[in-house]
Amino acid sequence: MRNNPVAGLVTTTLVLAVIFTLVPLPETAAWFRPDIVALVLMYWWLAHPEKIGIYTGFFMGLLLDVMQGSLLGVHGCGLVIIAWIFLKNYQRIRVLPLVQQALIVFFVLLIKYFIGFWVDNHRIQGFSGTLLYFAPCLTGAILWPWLFVTLRDLRRRAGT
Amino acid sequence: MQGSLFQRNSSLTLRLFFCLVICCVLMWVDHRYTHLQAVRHSIDYVVSPLRYMTNLPFAAWDWTSNQFRSHQALLAENERLTEENLALTSRQQKMDVIQRKNQRLRKLLGTAQSIEEHTIVAELVRVALDPFKQQVTLNRGTNDCAYSGQPVLGAEGIMGQIVHTGPFTSTALLLTDASHAIPVQSNRTGLRTIAQGTGHVDQLELLHIPNNADIELGDLVISSGLAQRFPAAYPVAYITDIQRDPGQPFAKVMATPTAALDRINEVLIMWPSHFGKNDSELQACLERLQNRSASQRQIEEALSNEK
């Protein structure tokens, strides 16, 4: 990691994101918890598309599934699709204003959560998911500009 | 990777499909079969330290608040516990007699059944899980012989069962999760039914109860042990609502779990007496566990003797 500052920074931010996902919140707040792992991954797909690829998303997805006790592959499915969208279009998304980026983030998160919703709906009889299930997309989009600026500063300071 | 921008883009879609196919296969296999427990188990080696790290501030807070508790409070608690212990021991004596009588009678009838069940205490690891599922993380894993499908009990009744095991932690599904059901019977009448979770932490639905069934508000519902997964005759829930609609084939009966599912910090994980008699691996593991605790006790005794 010492001779590879990118890997060090990416690993550190991802571990912090995972810990944030694990911190217990009160029930109402937990519904609105932004999917911070996906957001951090999105930033790195934009910043270093040649180093952080689609497989990182896949493995983080597996980790999230084990952490949250969901079906293996649910998170991975959403994350690889987001990775594909971002890696295909990173040159375009990078130069957009932050508000438009946030809008894109909202829609790609919606795709990810829709996959989760659909799988849970099929798997569990009487699944009680409501519109609240998609609340993290909104909070994720609101958080995006701040996260983007913070991570950009971190990255510049680390000189990568 | 210089100058290979477009080459990379062309293989990206291929990689996407590769990942998606793997994800779909994983989901399908994980839903239908149990082969992926090993994969989960190995990923858990990465996740467990993170879980413990997240739990650390809470554990530290507990520890400090324990350290600074007043002498008075500790004395009061000690007194209360001693009283409670006395009451429980006297009740236990009665239980012992009844148990022995029960065993004798069963022997007479030719249906020997041992009532001994082995339990260990597990603590909740305070980490967040999917907010739309009723799950908790426990600090016992396969190193403590926990297995998938193992019953989890609170002081007041059955709480749920372990669904995923890692080496040091495991995930338990609570009774009230929408995907959980447990075979139960009424304590008063012996009426057998199934308690299905609703996704709300204080509600269970009892299924397939005829409109004319003898069932009343406040009835205690206990586990029937029919599915061979949960031990029989442990309290599960109290009936809180009965709606008899003559137009419907069944009555709608709701119940509240006896265990405070959202407030308990310590639980028991149990090896039912009927389980593992034929499972030599589990038996060996349990023996190891007992040896470990015995040697620990010896060390502690030696240390206290030195003092």
Side-chain angles (χ1 to χ4, degrees):
Chain A
M1 264 194 224
R2 198 172 300 155
N3 18 10
N4 193 348
V6 180
L9 195 60
V10 172
T11 320
T12 320
T13 47
L14 280 178
V15 167
L16 284 179
V18 165
I19 288 180
F20 178 79
T21 320
L22 281 172
V23 170
L25 293 177
E27 196 182 3
T28 333
W31 289 332
F32 291 94
R33 182 200 302 269
D35 191 345
I36 200 116
V37 174
L39 292 177
V40 170
L41 276 172
M42 279 184 224
Y43 177 79
W44 290 117
W45 284 324
L46 287 186
H48 286 294
E50 73 290 351
K51 293 196 178 100
I52 313 299
I54 205 165
Y55 294 123
T56 320
F58 176 73
F59 286 114
M60 286 312 288
L62 284 188
L63 202 71
L64 283 177
D65 287 328
V66 172
M67 259 164 43
Q68 308 215 319
S70 47
L71 214 56
L72 272 185
V74 179
H75 281 93
C77 231
L79 283 176
V80 295
I81 291 175
I82 297 180
W84 182 77
I85 294 171
F86 269 60
L87 292 173
K88 270 274 190 210
N89 302 304
Y90 67 93
Q91 282 146 320
R92 273 172 234 168
I93 299 174
R94 253 186 206 166
V95 294
L96 288 177
L98 284 178
V99 179
Q100 279 185 40
Q101 284 187 4
L103 203 66
I104 293 176
V105 167
F106 176 74
F107 282 112
V108 293
L109 280 177
L110 215 55
I111 298 175
K112 177 172 183 282
Y113 276 83
F114 192 77
I115 293 172
F117 186 82
W118 184 73
V119 169
D120 276 348
N121 221 0
H122 271 251
R123 193 164 71 100
I124 303 167
Q125 274 187 338
F127 174 65
S128 59
T130 50
L131 261 186
L132 260 184
Y133 193 92
F134 299 99
C137 306
L138 201 66
T139 41
I142 294 169
L143 191 67
W144 172 257
W146 281 273
L147 192 91
F148 185 88
V149 173
T150 317
L151 284 177
R152 191 179 54 191
D153 274 6
L154 269 180
R155 181 173 63 85
R156 285 187 183 155
R157 237 170 254 179
T160 60
Chain B
M1 274 285 188
Q2 270 88 12
S4 59
L5 213 60
F6 298 101
Q7 235 174 11
R8 187 190 160 77
N9 273 352
S10 64
S11 69
L12 193 64
T13 314
L14 207 66
R15 266 182 282 171
L16 170 75
F17 278 112
F18 177 65
C19 285
L20 278 182
V21 168
I22 292 190
C23 280
C24 290
V25 171
L26 279 178
M27 280 193 269
W28 182 67
V29 175
D30 201 23
H31 184 40
R32 294 284 157 107
Y33 309 101
T34 53
H35 303 305
L36 285 175
Q37 288 291 349
V39 179
R40 268 182 200 280
H41 193 263
S42 44
I43 297 177
D44 221 273
Y45 276 103
V46 185
V47 177
S48 293
L50 290 170
R51 279 185 180 145
Y52 276 108
M53 228 151 88
T54 318
N55 193 42
L56 205 63
F58 297 100
W61 171 251
D62 280 357
W63 186 82
T64 15
S65 56
N66 260 335
Q67 291 296 311
F68 288 106
R69 267 168 80 184
S70 75
H71 188 64
Q72 216 69 41
L74 284 176
L75 277 181
E77 192 186 345
N78 197 341
E79 199 175 332
R80 189 178 57 80
L81 288 176
T82 318
E83 263 172 33
E84 201 177 300
N85 195 19
L86 200 68
L88 287 176
T89 351
S90 62
R91 211 186 303 168
Q92 177 69 32
Q93 285 168 358
K94 209 159 51 179
M95 261 299 280
D96 277 346
V97 175
I98 294 171
Q99 234 173 49
R100 234 167 286 142
K101 194 152 100 192
N102 195 337
Q103 241 160 358
R104 222 167 33 237
L105 289 172
R106 276 181 186 281
K107 214 176 270 171
L108 281 178
L109 288 168
T111 55
Q113 182 194 35
S114 84
I115 314 173
E116 291 296 306
E117 278 140 356
H118 182 67
T119 57
I120 58 172
V121 176
E123 268 175 51
L124 258 62
V125 181
R126 271 162 286 187
V127 294
L129 294 151
D130 193 332
F132 283 91
K133 296 192 187 88
Q134 311 274 331
Q135 290 177 329
V136 290
T137 307
L138 306 176
N139 69 344
R140 303 283 185 177
T142 45
N143 278 12
D144 303 291
C145 317
Y147 61 91
S148 170
Q150 185 166 24
V152 176
L153 281 82
E156 278 112 23
I158 294 184
M159 289 187 68
Q161 57 176 304
I162 291 176
V163 281
H164 306 305
T165 48
F168 315 108
T169 53
S170 52
T171 309
L173 195 66
L174 298 181
L175 290 180
T176 48
D177 187 88
S179 64
H180 193 277
I182 171 174
V184 292
Q185 67 185 129
S186 164
N187 194 33
R188 190 169 56 86
T189 59
L191 176 78
R192 283 190 302 273
T193 167
I194 291 170
Q196 160 103 47
T198 57
H200 300 283
V201 78
D202 56 350
Q203 262 188 351
L204 289 166
E205 186 175 0
L206 302 186
L207 305 179
H208 315 310
I209 295 183
N211 274 325
N212 58 359
D214 178 13
I215 197 152
E216 283 170 17
L217 281 183
D219 274 1
L220 177 67
V221 177
I222 59 173
S223 57
S224 65
L226 275 186
Q228 295 275 300
R229 180 157 286 196
F230 290 98
Y234 277 85
V236 173
Y238 285 108
I239 290 174
T240 49
D241 186 33
I242 306 170
Q243 285 173 22
R244 293 191 170 95
D245 179 359
Q248 296 291 325
F250 298 117
K252 192 172 168 64
V253 182
M254 306 304 280
T256 301
T258 52
L261 297 182
D262 50 350
R263 268 164 295 167
I264 283 181
N265 262 334
E266 273 163 345
V267 299
L268 290 171
I269 57 176
M270 172 179 278
W271 289 267
S273 50
H274 57 77
F275 189 88
K277 283 272 146 49
N278 315 316
D279 192 340
S280 56
E281 208 174 304
L282 189 75
Q283 287 292 351
C285 184
L286 280 176
E287 246 163 59
R288 259 204 318 279
L289 200 69
Q290 265 153 13
N291 287 341
R292 204 164 68 194
S293 59
S295 62
Q296 230 164 34
R297 216 172 302 136
Q298 272 173 1
I299 292 170
E300 272 165 22
E301 270 169 26
L303 278 175
S304 62
N305 282 345
E306 268 178 32
K307 275 180 194 164

